Amino acid sequence: MIDNSRDGYLNSTKVRDRYGEVSDMWLNRRLRDDPEFPKPLIIQSRRYWLLADLIKWERICAARPVDVEQRRQARQRKSGC
């Protein structure tokens, strides 16, 4: 059997669901701030991402070293502390 799970495109709603029901702003910030985040294909003013490109980006992110202090500070800013 052939595995086609990496074929196909996801619209912005499905991409946001894939990453934990994040906002559209989250997607816009990834596109603006992360040069490795895949660029979407625009079809009739709608954005579509190739699933294989998203999986590749996820692997890149998983390989990045984690800065624990930076994440702690970001959580504090987000909570208003």
Side-chain angles (χ1 to χ4, degrees):
M1 178 175 248
I2 298 173
D3 179 13
N4 291 327
S5 62
R6 294 184 186 194
D7 294 343
Y9 286 87
L10 300 179
N11 64 25
S12 60
T13 301
K14 289 184 179 183
V15 172
R16 292 188 346 247
D17 289 346
R18 181 177 181 86
Y19 297 114
E21 298 180 4
V22 296
S23 66
D24 200 47
M25 181 59 73
W26 182 92
L27 274 179
N28 292 334
R29 288 180 178 151
R30 294 295 78 69
L31 290 165
R32 181 190 69 200
D33 299 338
D34 187 344
E36 295 170 341
F37 190 76
K39 302 299 182 236
L41 176 64
I42 308 295
I43 302 173
Q44 294 185 356
S45 302
R46 294 180 187 253
R47 301 181 296 182
Y48 296 89
W49 282 263
L50 185 61
L51 180 56
D53 290 346
L54 293 170
I55 291 170
K56 181 180 174 184
W57 176 76
E58 292 165 6
R59 290 183 178 153
I60 290 168
C61 289
R64 290 178 186 158
V66 175
D67 185 338
V68 176
E69 181 62 21
Q70 184 180 23
R71 285 202 177 172
R72 184 187 66 76
Q73 290 173 359
R75 279 195 305 271
Q76 284 181 338
R77 284 192 303 269
K78 189 174 185 179
S79 67
C81 297

